[in-house]
Amino acid sequence: MDGLRAIAVLSVVFYHFGVPGIAGGFVGVDIFFVLSGFLIGGILWAELSETGRVSLTRFYLRRFKRLAPAFFTMAFLVAAASYLLLLPFEFREFGKTLIAATVYLSNVQFFRDSGYFDTGAEEKVLLHTWSLAVEEQFYVFLPLVLLLFRFSRKTLLTALVGMFALSLAACIWLTPTNPTATFYLFPFRAWELLAGVLLAIWGQSAGTRWAIHPGLSWLGLALVGYGLVFTTQAGFPGYQVAIPVLGTVLVLLNGHDPNPVNRVLSARMPVFVGLISYSLYLWHWPVAVLSTYARGAYAGWWETALWMVLSLLLSVLSWRYVELPVRRSWRLGFPATLGAVAALSVVALGLGGLFYKTGGMPARFPPDLRRHIDASAGFLQDWSRCSTPDDGPFAGVELCRIGPEGDTEVLFWGDSHLRAYMEGIALAAMESGTPGLLIWHAGCPPLFGVQKRESAATPAQDADCARDNETIRRALPMLPHLRAITLVGRWAYYADGAGTGRDAHNRITLLPDTGDQPARFTMALHRTVSELAGSAPAVMVLRQTPEIPWYDSRTTARALAHGREEAVADTFQAPLDTVNQRAASSDPVLQTLAAEGKITVLDPRARLCGADSCSVLQDGLVYYFDNNHLNNDGARALRDLFLPALTVGAGE
């Protein structure tokens, strides 16, 4: 088993450090799940068979002594390193994750936090604890199931097989539409652990020697290898994960057969790596994340190798001086162990709460740097007045109320650019006493009669966009007091079909895919404006926020905090010619519609640009979040831009 642990942990480590050739190295976690199920299931089933019961005290004593010391050692040392390196908004999120990891719910947190503007995986220092949380939840689930059905072995086995099948079916069925849920949440991963449990139960019940035929070991190793090399992130976990899971089961099933596969897996070096696998898993990810973070870029192979060696060294020290002494200490009984774990948990929760409640302790950084830090954190809006109705004309569409209570008089409809302006629009609506609605959907053009295919979205998300837009189309005529509708979008993105600068890799195609995209965009906007005119007397369109191609507040703040000013020196502004060129595919249709009297154009250009360039810096503040979205400071400063939309037709 330690040899399989070595394959599992090394595949994950190599994948996270960018070693080529193992594109599916992340399935090492799935190998771990099967091994955990096999080990824990075997231990509990043997106890249940011999005594007719399961001692929760003994079980959790072993688990606490095995897992808690190394985890808390890693968590506290990584917290100290993060204090020195992470920016406030990142350190705040670290505090939240530390709390979640301590109570074995980090997988739920990462599931809930995953979204359009979620921090990238390479910035989440404790991301790897999601799999530990899944296993800890399994350690609660399995003993309780065994105790619940202990009086009938047939019923117990039926329940376990049924849970295995249900979990597997749900994982495969829901992955195409809910990949984040099936990746992080225990119910969709339980079948992998139960595969190991059922194998252990079968082996003990059948009295197997775990030696059937050498071909099983070779086939199992081949399936594991296939999973490590050919599994892709797209559509994962789904059916793909069944391949390495089956391979792991086959190797375990034939684990005592004297064949070359088992001889290699039981050799001294693989066994040693398996012994330190838990500590190596704990340490490798924080080292990979924080080393890359401090550099601001990925290192060459020699430096990467040194960071991998550091991970190995830390894991050996953790195993030798933390794991082993605690596990072997006969003096640490259940009361002492439980008390120590409780005390360490309180400390971890207190630290996490401190980091979170203080906003990541921003006083660590000087004021001139904090304006970029504030910009990076200034994209969190108040969602207390937002909800998604289950019925009615807008059923399934998230609506945000703005202004005072009352019949909807104005409506703002858009994509993430509308979200960026939300704080300013909401404040202006309250100041003008205008009740209204704000509807935004990230990456979704506010256009009727088109669908989209986007590289940054899943097919399900693309379909959600089309569904929401059709719902809005049918619902707007049911707002009898509507005076004005304002469209807000990243128009050049939809007209050109691509991002710019930092996000030039993003692609979007408006469907149906006939003719050139600028023409499809122009036609869709004309059609949308014509339809909207039947629902409100005034239709307005916000000219796209000028894009500053290479700016990103988070990247800038990190670079300045760690002495890399030269890396961001030229990112704060863009020549006006560049801004005009970017808007050349979308501005003409706005100008035409305005000249025909069909729309009023609201233009932020004069507030963000001078005679020669546009800049993220205005009045001593940073107005931008990234290269195309304003932050809350910018939105509040430009809120008067929307007064025409809020006041047109008032009092008539």
Side-chain angles (χ1 to χ4, degrees):
M1 184 177 293
D2 282 321
L4 278 173
R5 284 197 185 102
I7 292 177
V9 73
L10 289 178
S11 66
V12 174
V13 171
F14 290 160
Y15 173 76
H16 285 155
F17 276 100
V19 176
I22 49 171
F26 48 87
V27 303
V29 171
D30 304 285
I31 299 172
F32 271 126
F33 285 160
V34 179
L35 296 177
S36 293
F38 183 73
L39 175 65
I40 301 304
I43 292 173
L44 293 176
W45 184 261
E47 182 179 359
L48 185 65
S49 299
E50 293 171 6
T51 67
R53 63 186 182 86
V54 171
S55 173
L56 295 180
T57 299
R58 184 163 53 247
F59 174 72
Y60 287 117
L61 174 62
R62 289 195 300 262
R63 293 296 89 203
F64 283 148
K65 293 176 72 172
R66 171 76 174 89
L67 302 175
F71 167 77
F72 284 114
T73 300
M74 179 277 299
F76 293 144
L77 291 176
V78 168
S82 298
Y83 174 86
L84 298 174
L85 292 174
L86 298 185
L87 298 176
F89 73 95
E90 297 160 335
F91 198 46
R92 176 181 180 272
E93 291 304 299
F94 175 86
K96 184 168 69 173
T97 304
L98 180 59
I99 294 172
T102 302
V103 296
Y104 315 127
L105 290 174
S106 58
N107 62 324
V108 177
Q109 182 213 319
F110 290 126
F111 162 69
R112 289 170 60 89
D113 286 352
S114 180
Y116 189 68
F117 286 100
D118 184 28
T119 305
E122 69 279 359
E123 302 165 12
K124 298 176 180 177
V125 186
L126 295 178
L127 178 64
H128 63 320
T129 63
W130 77 267
S131 65
L132 305 181
V134 169
E135 292 205 22
E136 296 289 355
Q137 291 157 21
F138 167 71
Y139 298 150
V140 174
F141 161 82
L142 184 62
L144 295 181
V145 171
L146 295 180
L147 288 173
L148 181 64
F149 296 105
R150 69 184 183 277
F151 298 113
S152 172
R153 298 295 174 85
K154 182 178 180 181
T155 303
L156 174 56
L157 288 174
T158 300
L160 290 174
V161 171
M163 292 172 185
F164 167 85
L166 184 61
S167 175
L168 173 59
C171 178
I172 294 175
W173 180 45
L174 292 175
T175 290
T177 56
N178 296 280
T180 305
T182 56
F183 184 91
Y184 283 120
L185 299 184
F186 171 71
F188 307 106
R189 294 293 195 146
W191 70 273
E192 301 177 45
L193 294 139
L194 288 171
V197 172
L198 292 172
L199 177 63
I201 292 175
W202 173 84
Q204 291 185 26
S205 301
T208 181
R209 295 175 52 248
W210 306 105
I212 299 175
H213 189 278
L216 292 179
S217 297
W218 285 106
L219 177 59
L221 186 63
L223 291 175
V224 168
Y226 179 90
L228 296 177
V229 175
F230 295 108
T231 302
T232 63
Q233 294 183 27
F236 186 85
Y239 71 90
Q240 292 188 89
V241 78
I243 297 173
V245 166
L246 176 60
T248 305
V249 167
L250 292 178
V251 174
L252 289 172
L253 180 62
N254 202 49
H256 289 171
D257 184 72
N259 61 67
V261 173
N262 288 334
R263 283 196 293 272
V264 170
L265 292 178
S266 60
R268 179 177 299 179
M269 185 56 67
V271 168
F272 176 73
V273 174
L275 290 173
I276 67 170
S277 60
Y278 176 57
S279 282
L280 182 54
Y281 182 80
L282 283 177
W283 278 107
H284 86 282
W285 179 250
V287 170
V289 170
L290 292 176
S291 63
T292 302
Y293 183 97
R295 291 190 307 270
Y298 290 101
W301 286 114
W302 283 107
E303 187 179 344
T304 298
L306 291 176
W307 292 116
M308 292 173 67
V309 169
L310 176 61
S311 301
L312 181 62
L313 177 61
L314 290 170
S315 64
V316 171
L317 292 174
S318 173
W319 171 74
R320 175 64 181 83
Y321 296 106
V322 178
E323 283 192 61
L324 288 184
V326 175
R327 289 170 62 186
R328 293 174 176 175
S329 175
W330 59 270
R331 295 181 179 178
L332 286 175
F334 187 75
T337 300
L338 181 61
V341 171
L344 291 170
S345 297
V346 168
V347 173
L349 293 173
L351 288 174
L354 175 66
F355 303 156
Y356 185 80
K357 294 296 289 184
T358 59
M361 308 177 79
R364 294 175 292 144
F365 297 96
D368 60 331
L369 171 59
R370 283 166 59 183
R371 63 181 180 177
H372 292 282
I373 292 174
D374 292 342
S376 63
F379 208 72
L380 301 174
Q381 288 87 7
D382 178 10
W383 303 103
S384 61
R385 300 187 67 192
C386 299
S387 62
T388 303
D390 295 324
D391 51 28
F394 286 100
V397 177
E398 185 177 31
L399 307 176
C400 297
R401 281 279 167 194
I402 57 173
E405 295 299 326
D407 294 327
T408 300
E409 297 180 15
V410 297
L411 182 138
F412 294 84
W413 176 30
D415 56 15
S416 60
H417 277 216
L418 178 55
R419 174 196 168 164
Y421 280 100
M422 179 177 174
E423 285 278 311
I425 294 173
L427 181 57
M430 193 61 72
E431 291 172 342
S432 63
T434 308
L437 280 179
L438 185 148
I439 306 175
W440 76 279
H441 190 142
C444 184
L447 300 171
F448 293 141
V450 298
Q451 300 181 27
K452 58 103 173 180
R453 184 172 62 245
E454 190 176 14
S455 61
T458 65
Q461 290 169 330
D462 290 338
D464 286 345
C465 169
R467 185 196 64 238
D468 282 1
N469 285 359
E470 283 304 304
T471 300
I472 294 168
R473 190 180 207 171
R474 294 191 300 268
L476 286 180
M478 302 181 192
L479 298 176
H481 302 284
L482 202 58
R483 294 188 280 107
I485 298 174
T486 302
L487 302 181
V488 180
R490 191 183 184 189
W491 307 121
Y493 180 50
Y494 305 131
D496 287 346
T500 184
R502 297 186 64 84
D503 75 323
H505 58 282
N506 287 335
R507 295 288 186 273
I508 189 168
T509 300
L510 301 184
L511 304 174
D513 190 1
T514 56
D516 66 344
Q517 181 131 325
R520 294 198 300 277
F521 166 75
T522 297
M523 186 181 303
L525 188 57
H526 272 281
R527 178 173 55 245
T528 300
V529 168
S530 295
E531 289 193 35
L532 293 178
S535 299
V539 178
M540 303 190 182
V541 179
L542 181 73
R543 189 183 187 189
Q544 180 177 309
T545 301
E547 294 180 330
I548 315 299
W550 297 104
Y551 181 74
D552 181 84
S553 57
R554 296 162 293 188
T555 302
T556 299
R558 291 178 201 134
L560 296 176
H562 300 297
R564 300 193 306 272
E565 294 87 350
E566 70 285 350
V568 296
D570 298 326
T571 64
F572 299 146
Q573 60 184 19
L576 197 57
D577 289 345
T578 300
V579 173
N580 289 333
Q581 183 178 1
R582 171 65 172 167
S585 58
S586 57
D587 272 357
V589 63
L590 301 185
Q591 295 165 357
T592 298
L593 288 168
E596 294 173 351
K598 295 179 178 179
I599 66 171
T600 299
V601 175
L602 308 177
D603 192 355
R605 183 77 68 91
R607 307 287 291 277
L608 300 169
C609 304
D612 301 313
S613 66
C614 303
S615 176
V616 303
L617 296 167
Q618 304 291 334
D619 302 322
L621 295 174
V622 175
Y623 277 11
Y624 278 69
F625 171 73
D626 59 17
N627 70 347
N628 66 98
H629 295 90
L630 293 190
N631 59 33
N632 292 341
D633 284 336
R636 286 189 290 265
L638 270 63
R639 67 184 185 274
D640 59 299
L641 194 67
F642 298 95
L643 285 178
L646 293 164
T647 59
V648 63
E652 293 181 2

